[in-house]
Amino acid sequence: MIIRILLLLGLAAIGWFIFLRRNRLPFHLVTMFAMLAAGAVAVVIPQETDRIAQFVGVGRGADLIVYLAIVAVLFVLVHYFAKFVELEHKVTQLTRELAILRAEVERVVPPATAAAEPRATRPAPPPGEPDEPRAS
Amino acid sequence: MPARGYNDAVMHSDRHDTWVVIAAYNEGAVIHDVVAGVKRAGWSVIVVDDGSGDDTAVHARAAGVTVVRHAINLGQGAALQTGIDFALRRGAHHIVTFDADGQHAVDDIPVLIAALADADLALGSRFLGSVEGASRQRMMLLRTAVLMSNRMSGLKLTDAHCGLRAFRATVAPRLRMTQNRMAHASELLRKTKTSGVRVVEVPCTVRYTEHSKRKGQGGFQAVRILFDYFFRAS
């Protein structure tokens, strides 16, 4: 069946992707490949998933897989949202430090013509020479 | 009462220990006059330019105050906290938050500071004071916000999220805001309640101009604020 080929190709692609980024612990790699293998088994012999589904109280194996997949996707979603918020806090801290640091630096070396020219293109003072305090 | 005549009693030199934190985002049109007004009254001013796309920082610097600039736009909560951190580094005794759009009155600042004589945090209240230029819908929205805010924070206040506040530097660590956007106001009230900061409300005058109304918070934003409050809590 075509669908089996498509699903197996999809699993293989995920496996290849994980293999390429194998900078994790061997435990992670083994776990991921075990899950992929379980998925491949479910694709090749779907009747077996029916037995497991009946055992846990779900009618069809396909339904069981859908339910599990939804829970897994939600888990991943929550996990990444938490990561995202954490990252936001870090960006905030960095931006704050940078803003205050720049203000402290400009207290010593005032931006002479901040309005006239973009700050990024202003040439740095030659090394070794003491900065003349510019008129402010 | 300390509030009466306090304006005259405070010597100008004392005002340097009070830092007025102004968070500004694309306020180039009005920031100069707002900042100049506060500076003229003798307060120390720190403007936080929250990654504006316009010349807010230039106009604020032209008024002769220190400007710190966020390289990227983070939101009002983050900008205020940056200003508070800066003020603490400069040895602030009292910290005031003041909106950049010119809706607050500079004359309300000494009243807030006077209220800190026997409180840690003084909140400006539009409903104890007066509101100019607000539509009826806006007042309704604000009153609803007050009810919700009081339920959420457990405090009994007459106003919810007036941008004009003053607090002692000693309670700043307890009032540290982690909400980057507008939910910082609710966060501040929650931390006030849970950390036992002594809070008092002070009448203040809020004057909505066409400019401030355009930048103001609508009902739709309330949903986003609630989302931030509950799901971005840390």
Side-chain angles (χ1 to χ4, degrees):
Chain A
M1 274 183 288
I2 299 170
I3 183 67
R4 284 192 179 167
I5 297 164
L6 289 176
L7 289 174
L8 286 175
L9 280 176
L11 289 173
I14 295 171
W16 177 241
F17 185 70
I18 293 169
F19 180 71
L20 287 179
R21 300 178 68 252
R22 61 185 182 287
N23 53 353
R24 292 157 183 267
L25 292 171
F27 175 75
H28 282 132
L29 212 60
V30 170
T31 313
M32 293 306 289
F33 278 106
M35 286 173 71
L36 287 174
V41 168
V43 170
V44 177
I45 35 173
Q47 318 82 268
E48 286 303 302
T49 59
D50 283 345
R51 292 228 325 255
I52 302 164
Q54 300 270 313
F55 179 73
V56 298
V58 181
R60 294 189 308 146
D63 289 343
L64 176 68
I65 287 170
V66 168
Y67 299 154
L68 289 178
I70 289 173
V71 172
V73 166
L74 286 178
F75 174 79
V76 169
L77 215 62
V78 169
H79 173 77
Y80 278 101
F81 183 69
K83 284 266 182 203
F84 179 74
V85 171
E86 195 185 308
L87 206 60
E88 269 187 329
H89 284 308
K90 287 179 178 173
V91 169
T92 301
Q93 281 169 19
L94 278 178
T95 307
R96 182 168 291 145
E97 287 290 323
L98 184 65
I100 293 175
L101 187 68
R102 191 158 61 184
E104 296 290 350
V105 169
E106 285 175 354
R107 194 151 73 131
V108 183
V109 188
T113 47
E117 54 180 323
R119 258 179 281 169
T121 58
R122 191 150 42 87
E129 257 176 62
D131 288 344
E132 275 183 50
R134 271 163 264 216
S136 53
Chain B
M1 288 300 291
R4 240 187 79 218
Y6 194 83
N7 212 343
D8 313 315
V10 176
M11 289 198 301
H12 241 224
S13 60
D14 287 347
R15 291 191 167 186
H16 284 298
D17 293 336
T18 297
W19 281 79
V20 177
V21 176
I22 301 178
Y25 179 59
N26 291 343
E27 297 283 5
V30 295
I31 189 74
H32 180 275
D33 290 352
V34 173
V35 169
V38 178
K39 188 182 155 67
R40 207 180 304 123
W43 311 104
S44 294
V45 181
I46 174 67
V47 173
V48 183
D49 173 12
D50 192 18
S52 298
D54 70 354
D55 47 4
T56 296
V58 175
H59 286 295
R61 279 206 186 89
V65 301
T66 310
V67 176
V68 304
R69 192 165 198 286
H70 281 172
I72 50 174
N73 177 246
L74 292 175
Q76 195 189 37
L80 286 175
Q81 191 58 53
T82 297
I84 292 164
D85 284 3
F86 183 89
L88 291 173
R89 280 175 189 235
R90 292 289 171 92
H93 289 171
H94 297 133
I95 291 163
V96 176
T97 65
F98 196 90
D99 282 5
D101 59 9
Q103 61 168 277
H104 298 313
V106 176
D107 291 342
D108 285 338
I109 299 176
V111 187
L112 283 168
I113 299 300
L116 290 181
D118 39 28
D120 301 313
L121 170 68
L123 301 169
S125 169
R126 288 165 276 210
F127 294 108
L128 289 180
S130 61
V131 185
E132 291 169 30
S135 65
R136 273 176 62 187
Q137 291 102 302
R138 192 173 183 84
M139 293 304 280
M140 290 270 288
L141 187 70
L142 285 170
R143 286 188 193 281
T144 314
V146 173
L147 289 175
M148 281 194 58
S149 166
N150 280 347
R151 280 200 74 112
M152 277 161 61
S153 69
L155 295 167
K156 285 195 176 58
L157 301 173
T158 61
D159 201 347
H161 301 148
C162 185
L164 187 65
R165 318 170 184 89
F167 54 89
R168 293 161 179 255
T170 48
V171 299
R174 283 192 268 165
L175 298 180
R176 200 173 170 81
M177 297 179 285
T178 60
Q179 289 282 356
N180 276 3
R181 281 167 295 275
M182 299 311 285
H184 71 274
S186 306
E187 186 190 11
L188 186 92
L189 295 182
R190 190 188 73 227
K191 289 186 171 170
T192 299
K193 174 75 177 176
T194 55
S195 68
V197 167
R198 295 172 301 158
V199 61
V200 67
E201 283 195 296
V202 173
C204 78
T205 307
V206 167
R207 194 162 44 85
Y208 290 112
T209 58
E210 281 308 313
H211 173 79
S212 64
K213 264 186 265 185
R214 202 155 7 90
K215 296 204 61 168
Q217 302 290 306
F220 179 70
Q221 261 102 327
V223 179
R224 174 134 197 232
I225 294 171
L226 284 174
F227 180 86
D228 277 359
Y229 183 81
F230 287 109
F231 293 109
R232 284 178 202 270
S234 62

